Amino acid sequence: MGALPVISPDVVLGGALALLSLLTYGICMVLVSVCVRTFRSEPGSLIAAAACIPAGILISCWQLAFGEVQVGISAWAVVAFALAGIFSTYLGRWLVFKSIELNGPSGASALQSTSPLLTAVFAWVFLGEVIGWVGMLGITMAIVGLVSMSFGLQRRAATHKTAAAALASASSGRSMVWASLVVGVGSSVAYSGSHIFRGSAVRIWNEPLLGATIGAGAALVALLLASRSKWPEYKQEILANRKGAWQFAGIGVLQFLAQTLVIASMKYIPVSVAALVSMCTPLVVVPISYFILRNEERLNGVMFIGILITLCGTLTSLVFAGRA
């Protein structure tokens, strides 16, 4: 047996779907970082979730008209898709939007790199997917990258304080850094849970489009219930900035497509591998942030090294996933 695993057609197809999801997610993160400058993330996340519903219904109707629904539907598959939507669109998306506000797109995407690592552990515990020792080495490398990333965040917080922040105490600055890390890692845990639910569901009922639509509907209900006291405030902000609202609606459609792609990939490759590929967003975000946004979020060397180490660990886990 060679040092590298044999790549089957299923792995190629699943990897391609996950890579398309990666590209879409990365573009979404950059767009969110631009949109939150003029439109708050709270109503933005609600609009993005709502935009998934008509998109999912339209695409699903097209599928039903020209194709057929796969057999295997069960109560658990529907519930799992719904829970996945709540974990990702309600908890995960809201936390990642806040993470982008606190850390910028590259910082948020680097913290999100822990999601596939957590998913690998959860998949091993709940789905029986094996992580070989080389995969564990990759996880360790990614954790080292995350630690480096945290130092980069602290360095940026200390270097680029606003006039008001300069008056704050050193302990307050450290609190902000830890709050940023907690929000970023929290979004990672939420997305990891959603991956496990989707992986379990799609292997019973191979309908990623309908599954993503069910998840979007459940997430929208959760968002509406959680924010019901703020509806008048959100309505006023939406009416005052219709352009920003439409921008978040477009982001929601893109995120729906990204979710559908990663769900589809889980049919052909392990859940942990799909998460590894689709959530390597720094591969997309960092070049866009540096070259197109002209390094507006001021990436420093420590942050960049942390991102690279995290990616190296993630890719190592990807290549050797499932090998003992």
Side-chain angles (χ1 to χ4, degrees):
M1 181 181 296
L4 295 177
V6 177
I7 301 177
S8 68
D10 280 354
V11 171
V12 173
L13 176 57
L17 291 170
L19 285 171
L20 287 174
S21 176
L22 159 66
L23 178 63
T24 309
Y25 273 130
I27 293 172
C28 285
M29 295 192 78
V30 175
L31 291 176
V32 169
S33 72
V34 174
C35 291
V36 293
R37 299 173 186 175
T38 58
F39 200 92
R40 290 188 304 132
S41 64
E42 288 84 355
S45 62
L46 187 63
I47 293 170
C52 293
I53 305 300
I57 291 175
L58 288 174
I59 299 175
S60 296
C61 287
W62 179 84
Q63 180 189 22
L64 291 172
F66 296 96
E68 60 181 15
V69 177
Q70 296 289 327
V71 297
I73 184 172
S74 68
W76 167 246
V78 174
V79 170
F81 276 129
L83 289 174
I86 293 172
F87 269 64
S88 62
T89 305
Y90 172 50
L91 292 175
R93 178 183 289 167
W94 180 76
L95 287 170
V96 80
F97 281 4
K98 297 301 294 184
S99 180
I100 290 171
E101 286 184 348
L102 293 171
N103 304 318
S106 293
S109 63
L111 291 172
Q112 276 293 101
S113 295
T114 61
S115 178
L117 307 177
L118 292 173
T119 302
V121 175
F122 293 161
W124 173 57
V125 174
F126 297 107
L127 301 180
E129 292 185 354
V130 178
I131 304 173
W133 71 268
V134 181
M136 290 301 299
L137 175 62
I139 291 176
T140 303
M141 291 173 60
I143 292 174
V144 171
L146 177 61
V147 173
S148 301
M149 184 67 202
S150 69
F151 282 117
L153 288 172
Q154 188 169 9
R155 185 176 181 181
R156 187 182 67 181
T159 305
H160 303 289
K161 291 181 178 178
T162 61
L167 299 176
S169 64
S171 61
S172 297
R174 288 192 294 270
S175 298
M176 176 59 72
V177 171
W178 282 111
S180 301
L181 290 174
V182 167
V183 169
V185 175
S187 68
S188 178
V189 172
Y191 277 114
S192 297
S194 72
H195 288 311
I196 299 302
F197 285 123
R198 286 171 180 151
S200 175
V202 78
R203 293 173 184 182
I204 299 173
W205 187 38
N206 186 25
E207 282 294 339
L209 281 171
L210 292 175
T213 305
I214 292 170
L220 179 59
V221 171
L223 283 169
L224 289 172
L225 291 175
S227 62
R228 59 187 181 276
S229 63
K230 297 183 178 181
W231 289 355
E233 178 185 344
Y234 290 170
K235 179 180 178 181
Q236 184 177 6
E237 184 168 353
I238 291 170
L239 292 175
N241 188 357
R242 295 178 184 272
K243 180 181 178 181
W246 279 109
Q247 288 172 340
F248 269 99
I251 290 171
V253 173
L254 287 176
Q255 289 183 325
F256 173 81
L257 294 175
Q259 289 176 6
T260 302
L261 288 167
V262 74
I263 292 172
S265 72
M266 291 176 182
K267 179 66 177 179
Y268 304 102
I269 57 178
V271 173
S272 57
V273 175
L276 281 165
V277 177
S278 66
M279 298 307 295
C280 287
T281 48
L283 284 173
V284 178
V285 173
V286 171
I288 293 177
S289 176
Y290 191 85
F291 293 106
I292 297 179
L293 299 182
R294 300 183 183 279
N295 199 23
E296 286 186 4
E297 59 180 76
R298 297 174 180 175
L299 298 176
N300 57 48
V302 177
M303 292 174 65
F304 191 74
I305 291 173
I307 291 171
L308 289 179
I309 296 174
T310 301
L311 287 174
C312 287
T314 302
L315 292 174
T316 300
S317 299
L318 166 63
V319 173
F320 291 94
R323 300 197 77 196

